[in-house]
Amino acid sequence: MRTLGLIGGMSWESTTTYYRLLNEMVRERLGHLHSAELILWSVDFERIARLQHTGQWDAAAEALITIAGQLEEAGAEALMICTNTMHKLADIIEASLSIPLIHIADATGEAIKAAQLKRPALLGTRFTMEQDFYKERLTEKYGIEAIIPDEAGRQIIHEIIYDELCKGLIKDTSKAAYLKQIELLRKQGADSVILGCTEIGLLISQKDTDLPVFDTTSLHAEAAVNFALS
């Protein structure tokens, strides 16, 4: 089994899901008392979130590059960034390493392509929905055209992530707001849904909609276990 290095804490609410899923998946495949070989660095998300919202991406990249290097020195054989948003910096971080980075958008794109779907509704932070680093990767590598909510919808999705889900607050009113956005995007031609923030799976699951749901946290964890056990 190969050792995975995780940059987590963005937020720790979803990092706990990563930890559980990685260990459950390894145990399911290997049986007995097997669990995942992991090295986890959990950041203080307040500092990273401030850099995100003030546009200080160079400073954020410097911080994560330092952490990634220390994970590699500690014995990690591949890197996971346990958040969709910070994959904005994935190429820069990977270029600083001699180990591979397991990209969350690749895990998602491969699953959507395998399902023969083309136009997923993308829900995530404003950074993920509005900037090109995520959507363009899906288009260029997998031929997938992600559809995003309108301005008001994007603000609702974003605020619920930072003001509630990252703090462990799960509200029925917020679930209803997300499902409303999904239905609006369905009317625009969405054939599936990407839970494009690792916290959204705390609020929305496949049982909430008849559109196929792609939970990026679960898909990312599965791709990492595939690597670890290959």
Side-chain angles (χ1 to χ4, degrees), residues 121-140:
L122 174 60
L123 308 182
T125 66
R126 292 192 73 113
F127 312 112
T128 301
M129 292 187 289
E130 295 176 355
Q131 298 180 22
D132 291 332
F133 67 93
Y134 200 92
K135 293 178 294 183
E136 279 192 359
R137 192 176 186 101
L138 291 176
T139 299
E140 292 173 1

Side-chain angles (χ1 to χ4, degrees), residues 88-215:
K88 175 181 173 68
L89 307 174
D91 291 345
I92 299 172
I93 295 168
E94 186 172 28
S96 73
L97 301 170
S98 61
I99 59 175
L101 181 147
I102 301 170
H103 202 294
I104 197 167
D106 289 342
T108 304
E110 288 167 7
I112 295 170
K113 185 176 180 179
Q116 299 183 325
L117 297 167
K118 292 283 189 181
R119 301 193 75 207
L122 174 60
L123 308 182
T125 66
R126 292 192 73 113
F127 312 112
T128 301
M129 292 187 289
E130 295 176 355
Q131 298 180 22
D132 291 332
F133 67 93
Y134 200 92
K135 293 178 294 183
E136 279 192 359
R137 192 176 186 101
L138 291 176
T139 299
E140 292 173 1
K141 294 193 69 174
Y142 304 102
I144 293 166
E145 179 191 357
I147 306 171
I148 62 172
D150 62 15
E151 169 67 27
R154 295 196 300 272
Q155 187 63 26
I156 290 168
I157 298 296
H158 182 90
E159 287 180 351
I160 288 171
I161 290 168
Y162 282 92
D163 295 343
E164 298 175 22
L165 301 181
C166 288
K167 299 176 181 178
L169 302 175
I170 310 299
K171 298 182 179 180
D172 290 340
T173 52
S174 296
K175 175 178 281 194
Y178 271 49
L179 293 176
K180 179 180 179 181
Q181 294 302 315
I182 289 171
E183 288 307 306
L184 290 172
L185 292 170
R186 184 206 295 265
K187 292 177 181 177
Q188 296 177 37
D191 59 13
S192 53
V193 183
I194 299 174
L195 306 185
C197 175
T198 55
E199 283 79 27
I200 297 178
L202 302 172
L203 184 67
I204 298 293
S205 70
Q206 183 62 74
K207 67 182 180 181
D208 297 311
T209 176
D210 59 359
L211 286 176
V213 171
F214 296 91
D215 184 339

Side-chain angles (χ1 to χ4, degrees), residues 5-10 40-41 43 64 67-68 71 79-83:
L6 284 64
I7 305 180
M10 298 176 282
L40 168 64
W41 187 300
V43 304
L64 296 193
I67 293 168
L71 288 171
L79 181 71
M80 298 178 71
I81 305 172
C82 299
T83 158

